[in-house]
Amino acid sequence: MSSLVVHFEIHASEPQRLIDFYSELLDWRFERYGDLEYWSIFTGEGAASMQGPGIGINGGLARREGPPPGPDAPVKGANIVVGVDDADAVVARALELGGSVVVPAADMEGLGRFATLLDPDGNLFGIMAEELAGDGAGERIEPAGADGAAEAADPMGATPEP
């Protein structure tokens, strides 16, 4: 078996709050899994399944066992990055829906426009759009050279190694 990601899971103190958030923000569909406090997340057409490969993955949402991470707590869990058409529009909509921005939208040369957000329950996730801001309005993150010049613009090391 290869090391491909085949599933992701989000933990929620208030599942319906996050179901509403991700449904509105990303058009994800949620389906309760039996009597469990667990919901399958369908991210859209083309997701990988047991029937074959795809261009994306589906996941699940589970009731959190314990309190959500505090504001200064280290990230507990994996970070997912979601492909979107317009990073700035998704950031704006996330704020309207009760999310917050951790790393503002920035153009990453050669990759796209990236932002890191928190959902209303404090879960970290990223968004990535192929299109750069294009008008020079957004911050640009250049790959770090030998002098580490891009480090100040990319303090969390969000720019992947070349």
Side-chain angles (χ1 to χ4, degrees):
M1 178 179 256
S2 65
S3 297
L4 297 175
V5 176
V6 297
H7 184 79
F8 66 89
E9 194 169 85
I10 299 170
H11 292 254
S13 300
E14 298 175 48
Q16 191 61 52
R17 185 173 178 202
L18 294 193
I19 289 168
D20 293 344
F21 177 81
Y22 287 109
S23 295
E24 287 289 323
L25 183 65
L26 301 172
D27 289 327
W28 288 353
R29 185 172 57 83
F30 291 77
E31 187 176 295
R32 183 99 183 227
Y33 191 79
D35 292 333
L36 301 174
E37 288 197 293
Y38 192 90
W39 292 259
S40 296
I41 301 173
F42 300 95
T43 60
E45 292 297 319
S49 70
M50 295 303 289
Q51 289 73 41
I55 57 171
I57 61 172
N58 290 319
L61 182 129
R63 178 171 292 280
R64 185 182 304 282
E65 300 292 327
D72 295 330
V75 175
K76 305 286 189 204
N79 182 21
I80 60 170
V81 177
V82 180
V84 300
D85 291 328
D86 183 336
D88 296 300
V90 172
V91 167
R93 185 70 175 133
L95 292 172
E96 290 172 7
L97 295 170
S100 59
V101 175
V102 176
V103 177
D107 289 344
M108 293 171 49
E109 198 62 40
L111 294 174
R113 190 152 175 81
F114 178 80
T116 303
L117 307 170
L118 290 175
D119 70 20
D121 204 35
N123 295 302
L124 186 75
F125 69 102
I127 58 167
M128 172 82 68
E130 285 186 38
E131 295 294 318
L132 301 176
D135 59 6
E139 177 185 356
R140 260 203 180 340
I141 297 177
E142 304 291 337
D147 63 356
E151 187 175 334
D154 190 16
M156 295 181 69
T159 305
E161 293 295 320

